[in-house]
Amino acid sequence: KSKLYLPVLIALIFFSFNTPKTNIIHSNVVAHVLIDNYHNDLYAEVYFKKDLFTMALLQEESCAPENMVKVCGNSYAQQHINMTLNDEPLTFENQSVNIEKDYVIYRYFLGSSNGKIQKIEVESDYMLKYDDHSVTKLRIKIDELEKHYSLKAERKKITLALN
């Protein structure tokens, strides 16, 4: 017994000091927000991963099953994703909702700028209370400009200033 003990102890000590210490960082993309303009009107499509979205709705909303996606889901989405246009809050006018295999997709009319689009701010804390590695991917396309962002625990809000 003692002859086997010493080599095992030496191996454990060796590997504990020589094993590379890696910090495995993962991110979990939970939603995609696509913002586009048509003239001075802004529109958004929000793609929520269906399994995570359903889990959040079941835990946080009290809704009849027939209202879960159209009513409670819409309300929940607007609680966790906020936008401003030229420093004015945008209201999300729900135009449609589709349920697909992996996603629940909301399409919104966000509003009109009564002139030039100068600044857009987007903030999201969606799913961060369940997983602090949650990421909401954001794409903003205004005319010919296209920008991509990741909203997450370290960066919940972005501001895009346009000239």
Side-chain angles (χ1 to χ4, degrees):
K1 256 185 174 177
S2 63
K3 289 181 182 181
L4 183 60
Y5 177 74
L6 187 57
V8 170
L9 180 62
I10 292 171
L12 284 173
I13 292 170
F14 176 77
F15 285 115
S16 67
F17 288 112
N18 291 316
T19 303
K21 307 291 189 251
T22 57
N23 185 8
I24 298 174
I25 299 174
H26 73 281
S27 63
N28 183 16
V29 177
V30 296
H32 297 269
V33 178
L34 313 174
I35 300 172
D36 290 291
N37 78 309
Y38 181 74
H39 298 290
N40 289 329
D41 293 340
L42 278 182
Y43 296 89
E45 288 185 331
V46 183
Y47 292 72
F48 293 106
K49 282 195 172 178
K50 188 166 63 174
D51 57 342
L52 298 172
F53 191 62
T54 303
M55 183 268 310
L57 290 177
L58 290 172
Q59 290 190 15
E60 295 187 35
E61 300 289 329
S62 55
C63 240
E66 64 272 9
N67 293 330
M68 188 64 72
V69 173
K70 287 191 177 190
V71 177
C72 291
N74 184 44
S75 171
Y76 186 80
Q78 293 186 46
Q79 290 171 27
H80 294 281
I81 299 175
N82 299 297
M83 299 180 202
T84 63
L85 173 63
N86 299 339
D87 294 318
E88 296 293 325
L90 291 171
T91 56
F92 292 37
E93 184 180 311
N94 189 359
Q95 296 200 314
S96 69
V97 62
N98 292 349
I99 301 172
E100 294 186 358
K101 180 181 175 196
D102 296 323
Y103 291 95
V104 176
I105 305 165
Y106 290 89
R107 288 178 180 83
Y108 296 104
F109 170 70
L110 298 174
S112 297
S113 69
N114 295 325
K116 187 176 179 185
I117 297 173
Q118 297 172 337
K119 181 168 80 171
I120 297 174
E121 290 182 323
V122 181
E123 183 173 11
S124 175
D125 66 355
Y126 175 65
M127 295 302 291
L128 288 173
K129 80 184 272 183
Y130 299 106
D131 180 0
D132 60 358
H133 296 290
S134 294
V135 175
T136 297
K137 292 289 190 177
L138 172 64
R139 189 216 63 208
I140 302 174
K141 186 174 180 188
I142 305 297
D143 299 325
E144 301 301 316
L145 176 70
E146 185 171 328
K147 296 285 187 174
H148 297 260
Y149 302 94
S150 293
L151 301 174
K152 50 192 169 187
E154 303 84 30
R155 183 183 186 190
K156 295 178 194 170
K157 183 177 185 178
I158 65 94
T159 302
L160 176 61
L162 304 164
N163 295 335

